[in-house]
Amino acid sequence: MRLHFSMNTRRTFLAVAAGLVAASAAALLAADSFAQSPAEVKVWIAFTDNRLDWARGKAAEFNKQFPQYKVTVEGYGNYEEIQQATDLAIQQNAAPSVVQWFEVGTQRARDFGYFKSIAEALGNRTEVNGIPVNFDDFIEPVVSYYTLDGKFTSMPWNSSSPILYSNTAILKKAGIEKPPATWQELEAACQKIMALPDAPQGCVTWPNHGWFYEQWMAQQNALLANNDNGRAARATQVFLDSEPSIAIATWWKGMYDKGYYIYSGKQRDWAATEQAIQTGTVAMAITSSADAANITNAAKQNNIELVTTRMPYNADKGWTGNLIGGASLWLVKDLPKEVEEGALTFMLWLNNTENAAEWHQVTGYLPIRKSSVALLESKGWFKENPNFFTASDQINNSKVTPATRGALLGAFPEIRNVVTQTMEDLMLKGGDPAQAMAKANQEANRLLAEYNSLYQ
C-alpha cells in the first residue's frame, strides 16, 4: 500500500528531522566539549600566607603544562582546622582530591580510612604523565617517616626541623665565640648574657609546643611510645614518665626558674618566639627551620644579624638525631580515575627537583630531594645563605632509629596538649617534674586507650 502525505505533513516531517539532526550535532559537540574539559583536582593546604600564594602560583603553572587537569588550591588556617574541614567534607561527599595532613596525624589518617596510599595508587609505575617516580631521591628521614608497613603512604612536601637562631651581636658582647650546642652550653651562655649591663629581656625562648619535647626525646634516642614508637604495632602506651622525659621537663623548668627561658604565657605561641628573636628581645630562639626566611629577613630589617645552628641537645645523653616536622600530601580515596591521575601528577610535579629547591628557598622548609640539595649547592645557595643549610645538615646527619623516625599515635594532638599544659603548670605554678610527668603519663595513656578502643 502506498502512503500519501499532505504538504503540511511533509513540512512537519522535514522540520522534525532537521531538529533531530541539529540536536544530534549539539549533543556530539557537547560530548566532545565534555571530553575535553579538564579534570578538576582540588587541593587543600594549611596555609593562608605567602606559602598559599606560592602554591597557587605553582598550580597555575601546572595547569598550563597539563591542560587536561585543573588544579585549585584552597588554604586553611592550621592543621587542626584542615582536619576538621576534611572530616566534614567526607561526611557530605564533598571531599577534595588532596589534603595536607600534619605528621602527627599520620595514625589518624590511617585509621579514618579517608585516604589511598601513594604506593597503592602508583603500583609499579616508574612515571606518571612523563614525571618520574623516584622515591630513592627523597632524603632518608623523610622516607623513613612516611613509610608505613613497608609502603610509601603519603607524598612528602613541607618537612622542617627545629634549629637555634642566635643574635651574633649579643653573643659577642657576652664573650661567647660560637652558639651553644648542648643544654649545658646554652645554660652557661645564658648566665653570661643575662649578666650583661644591657642584657636583653631574656636569654632564650621557644614555643611551648609538644614538637620540641618530642625532638629532645628523639635526640636522646628515647622512645615516646611502645612497640617501637608505634611503628612495629599500634602504640598502646606512652612514656612521659621515663627518665629522658623527666630530664627534659627538669631542664626546661630550670631554665625558666633562672630567668633564662622567656615564656609568652601562651601555649604553641610561634608568633611570640619569632617576634622575640627578630627584635632583639632575646639573644637566642629555638624554632622551626620553616621560618628561616621570614625570621632572617625580618631581623635584617631591624639591623640584627642572626646565625643558625643545630638544636641544642642533652650532653649527658649525646645526640642521635632529630625528627622531621611539617606535613605531607595525602591522596583521597575513591576519586574518579582521571582525577586521581591528575592528583598524582600534581603531587609528583610539585615535589620535583626544581620545585622542591624553590620551596626551600621561599620558606626554609627542607629541600626534601637529594637532587634538590645538589642543585642548591651547585648554585652556591647555601654558601650565600648559610642560615638555610643548618636544618638540612642536622636532618641528613641524623641516625635513623625507631626514636628518630617519630611516633605514630592516634591521640597524638591531644597528648601534645597534655605535655604543653604540664610544662605551663610547672613553670607558672611550680612543682616536681617527676611527679608532674607521672600524672601527665596517666592522662596521656587514658587518651590513647580511649582512642585505640575505637579502632581495634
Side-chain angles (χ1 to χ4, degrees), residues 190-329:
C190 285
Q191 184 177 9
K192 292 181 179 180
I193 289 168
M194 297 312 292
L196 290 170
D198 56 347
Q201 182 178 329
C203 176
V204 67
T205 190
W206 57 84
N208 179 12
H209 191 291
W211 189 48
F212 299 90
Y213 164 85
E214 295 149 26
Q215 295 288 339
W216 281 315
M217 287 289 282
Q219 286 183 338
Q220 299 177 83
N221 202 28
L223 295 175
L224 184 60
N226 66 346
N227 295 327
D228 281 347
N229 258 355
R231 297 280 178 172
R234 182 183 291 272
T236 58
Q237 183 182 5
V238 294
F239 304 136
L240 302 188
D241 60 349
S242 66
E243 186 274 330
S245 176
I246 295 170
I248 297 168
T250 302
W251 174 73
W252 188 337
K253 179 180 182 297
M255 291 289 286
Y256 175 83
D257 289 344
K258 293 174 183 176
Y260 298 161
Y261 170 76
I262 296 298
Y263 182 42
S264 72
K266 179 183 177 182
Q267 297 176 29
R268 297 171 291 280
D269 197 351
W270 298 90
T273 297
E274 290 188 25
Q275 185 72 11
I277 187 61
Q278 64 199 28
T279 58
T281 304
V282 295
M284 293 172 282
I286 303 171
T287 192
S288 176
S289 62
D291 297 315
N294 290 339
I295 293 175
T296 302
N297 292 335
K300 282 182 180 178
Q301 292 177 1
N302 294 323
N303 296 315
I304 293 173
E305 181 184 355
L306 297 179
V307 63
T308 65
T309 50
R310 293 185 187 182
M311 181 187 193
Y313 63 91
N314 182 2
D316 293 338
K317 293 291 184 180
W319 181 79
T320 300
N322 278 78
L323 308 168
I324 64 165
S328 60
L329 301 176

Side-chain angles (χ1 to χ4, degrees), residues 65 161 173 322 331 375 403 426:
Q65 188 173 339
S161 188
K173 278 185 183 180
N322 278 78
L331 178 69
L375 176 63
L426 280 171

Side-chain angles (χ1 to χ4, degrees), residues 107-256:
Q107 184 62 50
R108 286 187 173 185
R110 302 174 78 192
D111 290 334
F112 287 1
Y114 297 164
F115 305 111
K116 183 176 184 179
S117 77
I118 297 298
E120 180 185 351
L122 290 171
N124 296 321
R125 289 188 289 178
T126 58
E127 59 84 26
V128 177
N129 281 319
I131 303 174
V133 177
N134 184 8
F135 295 145
D136 291 337
D137 190 33
F138 286 119
I139 60 177
E140 179 58 28
V142 168
V143 173
S144 64
Y145 193 99
Y146 294 113
T147 297
L148 309 176
D149 304 324
K151 295 181 179 179
F152 213 61
T153 309
S154 59
M155 183 67 69
W157 182 36
N158 60 308
S159 295
S160 58
S161 188
I163 54 179
L164 178 68
Y165 295 79
S166 298
N167 185 315
T168 57
I170 296 178
L171 263 61
K172 185 177 180 181
K173 278 185 183 180
I176 301 168
E177 295 182 359
K178 59 181 180 180
T182 67
W183 292 358
Q184 293 77 3
E185 289 179 8
L186 178 57
E187 191 168 347
C190 285
Q191 184 177 9
K192 292 181 179 180
I193 289 168
M194 297 312 292
L196 290 170
D198 56 347
Q201 182 178 329
C203 176
V204 67
T205 190
W206 57 84
N208 179 12
H209 191 291
W211 189 48
F212 299 90
Y213 164 85
E214 295 149 26
Q215 295 288 339
W216 281 315
M217 287 289 282
Q219 286 183 338
Q220 299 177 83
N221 202 28
L223 295 175
L224 184 60
N226 66 346
N227 295 327
D228 281 347
N229 258 355
R231 297 280 178 172
R234 182 183 291 272
T236 58
Q237 183 182 5
V238 294
F239 304 136
L240 302 188
D241 60 349
S242 66
E243 186 274 330
S245 176
I246 295 170
I248 297 168
T250 302
W251 174 73
W252 188 337
K253 179 180 182 297
M255 291 289 286
Y256 175 83

Side-chain angles (χ1 to χ4, degrees), residues 64-76:
K64 289 182 180 179
Q65 188 173 339
F66 297 91
Q68 67 268 43
Y69 306 119
K70 181 183 179 181
V71 173
T72 57
V73 182
E74 184 173 346
Y76 288 83

